[in-house]
Every structure is written in C-alpha cells, then in structure tokens.
Amino acid sequence: QQQVKQSPQSLIVQKGGISIINCAYENTAFDYFPWYQQFPGKGPALLIAIRPDVSEKKEGRFTISFNKSAKQFSLHIMDSQPGDSATYFCAASRRAGNMLTFGGGTRLMVKP
Amino acid sequence: KAGVTQTPRYLIKTRGQQVTLSCSPISGHRSVSWYQQTPGQGLQFLFEYFSETQRNKGNFPGRFSGRQFSNSRSEMNVSTLELGDSALYLCASSLLSGDTDTQYFGPGTRLTVL
C-alpha cells in the first residue's frame, strides 16, 4: 500500500520558472513531512521539512505548503535554476522512530 | 565533519549468495537506518538501529537482517540473494531516534545480482 503519493513523475520547467510538486498521504498518524533532493550517484539530501502545526514554511527559494484537512503537501521551487535539476522525494514519518515513507519521486529538469 | 560512508560502493553477486554491506554514521550519531531504492518500488525502509537495538523494521523478508555495533557502525546482510534484490542500498544516520530527527544519507551501495 503506497501511503504517500507524489505527482508529477517528471517535470520540465524553464529557468526562472516555478516548479511545483505535490504529495498526498493517507496515514493521519504522520506528523513530519520532509522533502529530499537526490542527484545521480548521490544519496538523498534533506531540503526542507514541515510539521502539521504550520501551513507553510519557506527556506530561500524553497517553500512547503501543507493542507492538513486535505492530507496534502507540496513543494514550490521559485526562480528554478538548471542546478535544481534532480529527483525530488516527499516523505512522511511518525514522531516515534526514524521510519520515513517516501513518495515515488519527481524528476525535475530545468531548461536554461 | 565527515558524512555517512558506505562500503563497498558497488557489488556484483550471483543468485543464492549472501552479501554484507557496511555503514559508518556521522560521528556522534547513534541511529542508523537502511533503505532500499529501486526504479520500480522507489525508496523503501528496511530497518533502524539505535544503541545496538533494532527499533523499527520495514516490510521485507527475513533474508534481510542487520546489526549495529557499539561504535554505532552498522551492517546489513542479505542471504540467498534473488534477482529482485538488485538495488541501491542507502544508509542514513541521525543523532537520536524519534522526534523526527534529521536523517543524513550516505551515497549508497549499488548491488547487482546476476
């Protein structure tokens, strides 16, 4: 059972544009929602994370929007750059332990 | 501070063999988690160890096992390898366990089963 659904699977954006990736979860016990960025040949690296007590969190060009009632959250990358081209994963976990449930991933390509 | 290191980086085995992968966490980190990454199933949690004790286990068969040593280094073992075990195996470390502590991933070990 896929508990975190991510869309789209792939995304092409022009340099300077906004990249938007969406995730939906099923388990209401999840209370931590991180986003990871992965480059080829590397492990995932934490980008930004949010807890359900806030609706939005911004760090530089990266913003997470969180809708608890809809059980959805999204990543917005403002002013997208070619260096942002990577695979992005949303994830969710419960407070007890470090077991992350990942979405299927979105391959982002930012065209110069 | 050095990051999470995994050895070996690449491994080729044949069906039926067993394999042991190693992970050295960031200095001071006591929690180590293992994940399997495949094109078809994505990133899936295998297990987590904290202070030499398995805290959580994912939905994988008993052929997958792990352990953690007193210095927090961890190993995972896969016995009786199957073709479907071909994957990138990722190790992640965090300072503590619980309260959603940030996990830092290593580069992974690419296992190919022939």
Side-chain angles (χ1 to χ4, degrees):
Chain A
Q1 180 188 11
Q2 186 182 5
Q3 295 191 53
V4 180
K5 294 183 180 180
Q6 183 172 344
S7 63
Q9 286 186 308
S10 63
L11 183 61
I12 300 175
V13 173
Q14 290 295 129
K15 178 183 175 182
I18 302 173
S19 305
I20 301 174
I21 305 171
N22 301 299
C23 283
Y25 63 97
E26 300 169 4
N27 189 344
T28 54
F30 288 146
D31 57 11
Y32 176 68
F33 302 90
W35 284 88
Y36 282 84
Q37 179 189 56
Q38 186 177 29
F39 292 104
K42 305 282 187 181
L46 179 68
L47 257 182
I48 185 172
I50 197 168
R51 296 185 189 274
D53 51 346
V54 296
S55 60
E56 185 173 285
K57 183 175 181 180
K58 183 177 181 179
E59 288 184 3
R61 296 185 294 109
F62 301 92
T63 300
I64 298 180
S65 297
F66 186 82
N67 186 329
K68 187 174 181 178
S69 60
K71 294 187 287 185
Q72 295 176 346
F73 58 110
S74 60
L75 175 70
H76 291 61
I77 306 175
M78 312 299 287
D79 188 27
S80 298
Q81 299 296 312
D84 296 331
S85 297
T87 300
Y88 293 80
F89 293 93
C90 63
S93 73
R94 299 172 61 179
R95 189 170 292 268
N98 288 333
M99 188 175 106
L100 289 168
T101 299
F102 283 90
T106 296
R107 185 171 291 184
L108 171 66
M109 180 186 297
V110 181
K111 289 193 168 183
Chain B
K1 195 182 256 190
V4 177
T5 58
Q6 294 187 243
T7 56
R9 291 293 312 277
Y10 302 91
L11 207 49
I12 299 175
K13 292 285 187 180
T14 57
R15 279 182 299 174
Q17 288 187 308
Q18 75 165 17
V19 66
T20 298
L21 311 181
S22 181
C23 171
S24 293
I26 293 171
S27 177
H29 284 193
R30 294 169 58 191
S31 170
V32 173
S33 299
W34 288 89
Y35 292 83
Q36 181 197 64
Q37 185 173 24
T38 61
Q41 299 299 316
L43 277 154
Q44 294 185 287
F45 173 81
L46 279 157
F47 27 65
E48 179 204 0
Y49 287 88
F50 180 76
S51 293
E52 301 178 66
T53 301
Q54 187 179 88
R55 284 212 55 179
N56 292 291
K57 189 177 191 305
N59 189 25
F60 279 82
R63 301 184 297 107
F64 292 82
S65 63
R67 60 177 175 169
Q68 186 180 34
F69 302 96
S70 58
N71 60 359
S72 294
R73 191 177 68 85
S74 177
E75 291 181 345
M76 67 163 283
N77 183 276
V78 188
S79 62
T80 319
L81 283 166
E82 301 177 359
L83 294 178
D85 297 333
S86 294
L88 179 68
Y89 289 89
L90 292 158
C91 165
S93 79
S94 61
L95 193 60
L96 300 171
S97 177
D99 201 27
T100 58
D101 198 23
T102 299
Q103 294 188 57
Y104 298 87
F105 283 83
T109 293
R110 172 75 63 185
L111 171 64
T112 301
V113 182
L114 303 176

